[in-house]
Amino acid sequence: MAAIGPRGDGAGEAAPLTLADYARSARARLAPAVWDFLEGGAGEERTLAANTEAFDRYWLRPSVLRGASRPDTATEILGRRWDAPLAVAPVAYHTLAHPAGEAATVRGTAAAAAVPVVISTFASRAVEDLTGRGVPVWLQVYCLRDRAVTRGLVERAERAGVEALVLTVDAPHLGRRLRDVRNGFRLPAGVVPANLTGGDGFADPSVHAREEFDPDLDWTVLAWLRSVSPLPIVVKGVLTGADAVLAIEAGADAVVVSNHGGRQLDGVPATLDVLPEIAEAAAGRVPLLLDGGVRRGRDVLTALALGARAVLVGRPVLHGLAAGGPDGVTGVLRILLDELTDAMSLAGVRALADITPDLLRRSGDR
Ligand SMILES: Cc1cc2nc3c(=O)[nH]c(=O)nc-3n(C[C@H](O)[C@H](O)[C@H](O)COP(=O)(O)O)c2cc1C
Ligand SMILES: CCCCCCC(=O)C(=O)O
């Protein structure tokens, strides 16, 4: 097994100006096997690469003389005002990146903007220590074979003040992450799911998921979750218009267009590339969120122009956390916000409602 522990202190680095700077800084600090777990995708990582490449196929078509010097990035989703169309995607085990884990992520997010933090079923800090700290906290739900454990987690989260449930539907088991197989990746001692009771054998996430995840879910799981909790249900992991319709018919309050950051089925398309099909099928009935490959403020603008109401950001938040703890998370989110505001202003967009497909030109299109 590869050694896991801090590598270097990153001293002497220039202040990060982009999310890529944060990624470099995080890589210098993390043990290679931890970096690979956080960064890697499934199979040949074609989908992982496609997620970022898809954004580069779009060009922006600015409108001039629009008086857009102070763009308004605020939005409202599921009855809550968000300072910006951004949220922190659920990522397991933030203590891999920083000892304070999700507590640091929540603190760092709150210092940047009032936007939701979605904590994973496999969060490594207690949910009670994460809520009531200036940002909405949502809980990502993996429906386990033992429904009593899932129910206990949801009820605990609700009592703690979690505001929505994000049901992940693309993971009957974990995808084949070859970097982790080659590294013999195991979670370091002490990195455990803080909100799940009982059991051990957490160390190999892939084996653990095979044992614990319910691999035979169907759309009735939404009715079950609804019977357990009154919280809004967001379905995460939809990649076709047909599945978006099924999610809405099954009672989803919102849908996340996601391929799990390229970590599940390698060879599925980039999320940005399937967004128009899903937006057409959903026809405005529920808000659509998107994640996968968002690395610049203008990527947010692109996703919104193709039908998303907001985006979630996964790995970059962990890069910020590894690079600088809560301050690093604040830094990552502020860069994204600053870049978004800058892009809106330069493109002549005063508010998110002004963003339409006309804002974009796809490479190769006339
Ligand atoms: C290290 C890691 C752990 C993740 N853990 C979870 C998880 O516990 N639950 C989940 O639904 N998605 C999980 N995801 C997927 C993210 O929620 C999200 O879909 C993806 O990271 C978005 O892509 P991005 O990293 O390019 O922003 C994880 C992603 C990474 C990189
Ligand atoms: C049984 C632990 C599983 C953690 C899985 C986290 C995840 O979704 C990922 O993509 O990794």
Side-chain angles (χ1 to χ4, degrees), residues 9-34:
D9 64 1
E13 293 167 31
L17 289 178
T18 65
L19 268 51
D21 290 341
Y22 271 106
R24 272 189 292 277
S25 174
R27 185 172 195 169
R29 287 169 159 80
L30 292 169
V34 170

Side-chain angles (χ1 to χ4, degrees), residues 88 94 100-119 125-127 129-138 317 321 325-326 329-330 333:
V88 174
H94 287 205
E102 289 79 1
T105 305
V106 164
R107 192 144 42 98
T109 303
V115 297
V117 174
V118 188
I119 60 163
R125 287 287 168 229
V127 61
D129 296 337
L130 306 176
T131 48
R133 281 156 176 80
V135 288
V137 174
W138 294 5
V317 173
L321 192 57
V329 173
T330 306
L333 295 174

Side-chain angles (χ1 to χ4, degrees), residues 242-331:
D243 272 354
V245 169
L246 289 172
I248 295 165
E249 288 173 356
D253 297 292
V255 166
V256 186
V257 179
S258 174
N259 54 34
H260 214 110
R263 292 163 76 81
Q264 288 300 103
L265 178 59
D266 192 31
V268 301
T271 48
L272 193 71
D273 287 338
V274 296
L275 179 59
E277 170 192 331
I278 293 175
E280 191 180 346
R285 284 175 286 174
V286 299
L288 296 179
L289 312 180
L290 171 138
D291 73 19
V294 175
R295 299 292 181 267
R296 303 163 300 205
R298 70 172 187 269
D299 297 342
V300 184
L301 211 49
T302 303
L304 267 56
L306 291 177
R309 288 278 298 281
V311 299
L312 282 71
V313 183
R315 293 177 182 86
V317 173
L318 269 286
H319 298 158
L321 192 57
D327 292 346
V329 173
T330 306

Side-chain angles (χ1 to χ4, degrees), residues 226-244:
R226 183 74 73 204
S227 77
V228 166
S229 170
L231 293 176
I233 298 174
V234 180
V235 170
K236 172 174 182 280
V238 167
L239 289 174
T240 67
D243 272 354

